[in-house]
Amino acid sequence: MASSESSAPRPGRPAVHGFWEGTGAAKTFTHPLDHGLLEQYVPREARILDYGCGYGRLTAQLVELGYGGVHGVDPSRALIERGLREHPELRLELFTALPLPFADGSFDAALLFVVLGVVTGDADQHAVMAELARLVRPSGVLYLSDVPLQSDERHVRRYEEGAAADPGRPYGVFTTPDGGLFRHHRPQELRELLHAHGFTVEEERPMATATLHHGETTRSVQVIARRAASG
């Protein structure tokens, strides 16, 4: 499916860091999809939005698992173009602004894999979550994977250097030597962000995950959250 763009503007829309149009677009993404966890909460006939799909790694896995109504979207042109080269059969679309061109409640479930880790500003994170709250139907599911604050010396040093370079940034935002900009969260920050947009955490699973940088691992967390029922 050819890529398309949504031109509808929205204040505070998440910006694409230049890293994802260059070096980052060649990376191999690593957060694993827990098939058992997904199947526990999301039936095969569900309409699923892979928000921040990158090059379609998880979108392809969902299709292979038998999920037919899967749609991937991402703001990086380089990643979408890569995805369409590698998976021309998938529905992958470029978006450059919010809201996305889908009606309210269009999806039964959404994936949000390490999107909050690369959309680093508070206002931009709230814009993403507000859009997902619009798109996921009442009682629908959000499957989130992201990285909490790490306690090892290397990461703590990165956090402190990031805070010193820009005191206005949230704590946990840091840059990597190859030019990436990332954010790790206090676990309670993720829960509060979900709650603020009408999602209730139903299950939370910690795990160790390889990073985008060879040989490094982090403690990560996967969360199943359910949108409030209407009324």
Side-chain angles (χ1 to χ4, degrees):
M1 178 174 181
S3 65
S4 64
E5 298 185 26
S6 167
S7 59
R10 177 170 180 160
R13 65 179 177 85
V16 182
H17 190 261
F19 177 76
W20 300 109
E21 300 294 355
T23 302
K27 297 284 188 181
T28 298
F29 298 168
T30 57
H31 278 230
L33 183 71
D34 186 326
H35 298 176
L37 183 63
L38 177 72
E39 292 167 0
Q40 182 180 343
Y41 290 93
V42 182
R44 288 292 196 282
E45 64 272 17
R47 304 159 298 168
I48 304 176
L49 177 67
D50 185 2
Y51 187 101
C53 66
Y55 55 90
R57 176 182 67 106
L58 297 181
T59 315
Q61 287 187 34
L62 290 168
V63 172
E64 289 170 2
L65 287 170
Y67 290 92
V70 186
H71 204 126
V73 296
D74 199 279
S76 165
R77 184 180 298 276
L79 282 168
I80 289 294
E81 289 177 349
R82 175 184 169 185
L84 291 171
R85 288 194 304 270
E86 296 182 4
H87 305 285
E89 75 285 1
L90 297 182
R91 287 181 290 179
L92 304 178
E93 291 192 81
L94 175 70
F95 72 88
T96 58
L98 300 179
L100 298 180
F102 306 113
D104 295 1
S106 290
F107 297 94
D108 303 299
L111 265 58
L112 192 68
F113 269 55
V114 206
V115 172
L116 299 178
V118 299
V119 175
T120 57
D122 286 343
D124 286 344
Q125 290 193 352
H126 279 285
V128 167
M129 291 305 305
E131 183 67 348
L132 289 174
R134 182 183 74 82
L135 293 173
V136 175
R137 65 167 175 80
S139 299
V141 168
L142 176 64
Y143 180 2
L144 176 151
S145 187
D146 226 293
V147 182
L149 289 174
Q150 308 292 296
S151 57
D152 62 280
E153 182 180 350
R154 178 172 59 86
H155 277 100
V156 171
R157 183 173 63 253
R158 283 177 168 177
Y159 305 149
E160 292 175 347
E161 289 173 351
D166 185 352
R169 283 180 178 174
Y171 183 77
V173 176
F174 63 97
T175 57
T176 54
D178 57 0
L181 181 68
F182 300 91
R183 179 177 180 179
H184 293 168
H185 301 77
R186 296 177 177 86
Q188 187 60 26
E189 289 177 327
L190 292 175
R191 298 184 196 110
E192 290 173 353
L193 183 61
L194 290 165
H195 180 74
H197 293 278
F199 290 94
T200 299
V201 173
E202 294 205 351
E203 190 162 346
E204 191 171 313
R205 293 186 179 181
M207 62 175 58
T209 308
T211 73
L212 296 178
H213 303 89
H214 182 69
E216 298 181 10
T217 60
T218 58
R219 292 179 296 104
S220 62
V221 64
Q222 297 205 336
V223 175
I224 294 290
R226 191 174 298 279
R227 192 185 161 210
S230 60

